[in-house]
Amino acid sequence: MNASNPSSPPAWPAWPEYALVDDLLPALDQYAQAGRVALATLVDVAGPSPRPLYSEMAIAADGRVAGYVSGGCVEAAVAQEAMAALAEGRPRLLDYGVGSPVLDIQLTCGGRIGIFVRELRQPAQYVADLSAARRERRTVTVLTDRATGDWTIVDGMAGREDDRYADVRLPPLRLVTVGSDPVTLAVARLAPAMGVEVVLLRPHGPTEPPPGVTLAAYDPRALGVALDALRVDERTAIYALSHDVEMDHAVASHALRSPAFAVGVLGSRNKIGARVDRLRDDGVDDAALDRLHLPAGLPIGAQTPHGIALSILAQVCQRDRARHL
């Protein structure tokens, strides 16, 4: 896309690599260092939509894009509108789909969407504030003025107002894994692609974490010490992948007494009854046991480390999604 002439047609990517970017903060930071940046936010949905409310797309002044707001139907047009918004210095609300005046752009899903496009002012501060909230696992709300596009970030969950959009940002899903087998490594490698952070506990393990993986934290200390040091919130799942009966029991018992929304243990189906009875003997009640997955992972017939890791991550995402339906 030609940044010097916003009205020129965009050189749109041949493949939608931009749609594989869920975390826009690195892209926003990079784009802002090179110049001005626009942000497009899905603010209204009527009928079916392939993307949830407040999905976003970042557009750099030089035409680079990251993120997406529909199933690919409108992204090129949104990028073009974003360039115009940068040139004119004012935000705009785009209207696409059934009943929209934009007849040449319709949605295959049959719905209607509104997309708010504006220049992201003070992008470095925006990225810093949201990055800090993420690190500290705080829930915050981005409030955006509908007339000016100016933003402010407040702690907690704020509601939508007549003059401001309210985008609630929850801490990322976090999966605590305990173990050292190939499934543990596979989970650590697959999870970031699904927007899930991983904390790896390997009792009495090597000082350094495994190479080639991105972890939120690694703890090789004794199990009791590591579990006591965990900060567990309602966006955290805990899975025991050690294949050690005593260790797995200790992890499950601890996790089921915490706010963790999902708890899983690898192992044979034949041992489920004995494991559950032992947890009940520890004082774990039925309400807590409802969060327990034995064996860990969705039943997809997986037998390889990556297949089992996929089943576990799918289960974590499914359990999280079920809480919001």
Side-chain angles (χ1 to χ4, degrees):
M1 188 180 293
N2 187 344
S4 63
N5 182 6
S7 64
S8 63
W12 196 244
W15 292 96
E17 294 287 339
Y18 56 85
L20 300 181
V21 181
D22 284 324
D23 178 10
L24 292 188
L25 294 185
L28 286 171
D29 187 45
Q30 184 182 37
Y31 295 173
Q33 290 182 29
R36 298 161 69 196
V37 58
L39 196 58
T41 305
L42 180 63
V43 294
D44 287 302
V45 173
S49 170
R51 295 290 288 153
L53 202 61
Y54 290 111
S55 295
E56 290 192 315
M57 180 177 171
I59 305 96
D62 61 11
R64 288 174 293 168
V65 295
Y68 68 120
V69 290
S70 79
C73 308
V74 305
E75 276 69 16
V78 169
Q80 189 71 17
E81 293 283 355
M83 300 302 292
L86 288 176
E88 296 172 11
R90 60 179 181 83
R92 56 191 59 200
L93 180 62
L94 311 178
D95 182 4
Y96 298 120
V98 175
S100 164
V102 186
L103 298 178
D104 58 336
I105 300 178
Q106 294 297 309
L107 308 179
T108 57
C109 63
R112 187 171 182 176
I113 57 177
I115 300 167
F116 186 64
V117 180
R118 73 284 191 191
E119 178 176 0
L120 180 64
R121 299 185 180 91
Q122 297 181 290
Q125 190 63 53
Y126 181 86
V127 171
D129 289 353
L130 288 181
S131 296
R134 180 180 297 177
R135 285 194 307 272
E136 297 160 12
R137 297 191 64 76
R138 289 184 286 114
T139 294
V140 297
T141 302
V142 180
L143 297 171
T144 305
D145 189 286
R146 300 186 187 207
T148 66
D150 292 340
W151 59 269
T152 186
I153 296 174
V154 298
D155 282 322
M157 301 177 68
R160 186 165 174 162
E161 304 170 6
D162 290 340
D163 59 345
R164 294 194 295 185
Y165 298 110
D167 178 11
V168 175
R169 303 292 183 94
L170 300 172
L173 284 182
R174 174 167 285 185
L175 175 57
V176 178
T177 60
V178 183
S180 61
D181 76 346
V183 172
T184 309
L185 281 178
V187 167
R189 288 177 177 164
L190 289 178
M194 300 176 69
V196 179
E197 294 183 346
V198 174
V199 173
L200 173 57
L201 310 186
R202 183 177 176 182
H204 309 293
T207 304
E208 297 298 319
V213 299
T214 300
L215 298 173
Y218 169 67
D219 196 335
R221 295 178 294 177
L223 181 63
V225 175
L227 289 176
D228 287 342
L230 276 179
R231 293 178 57 192
V232 180
D233 55 34
E234 294 180 351
R235 299 276 294 165
T236 302
I238 302 176
Y239 276 59
L241 311 176
S242 73
H243 301 285
D244 180 284
V245 173
E246 295 304 317
M247 187 179 297
D248 288 347
H249 174 76
V251 172
S253 183
H254 180 92
L256 291 170
R257 300 172 193 278
S258 78
F261 72 90
V263 178
V265 180
L266 279 182
S268 169
R269 293 183 181 278
N270 296 331
K271 298 179 181 179
I272 292 177
R275 288 182 184 272
V276 171
D277 288 343
R278 188 175 176 189
L279 288 168
R280 283 200 174 100
D281 290 341
D282 276 1
V284 177
D285 60 26
D286 288 343
L289 288 170
D290 283 343
R291 293 180 281 136
L292 179 64
H293 297 284
L294 285 172
L298 296 180
I300 62 173
Q303 293 183 311
T304 66
H306 283 91
I308 296 170
L310 177 62
S311 75
I312 288 171
L313 289 165
Q315 185 173 69
V316 169
C317 293
Q318 180 192 60
R319 186 67 184 246
D320 174 61
R321 176 65 175 162
R323 295 187 296 168
H324 305 293
L325 293 177

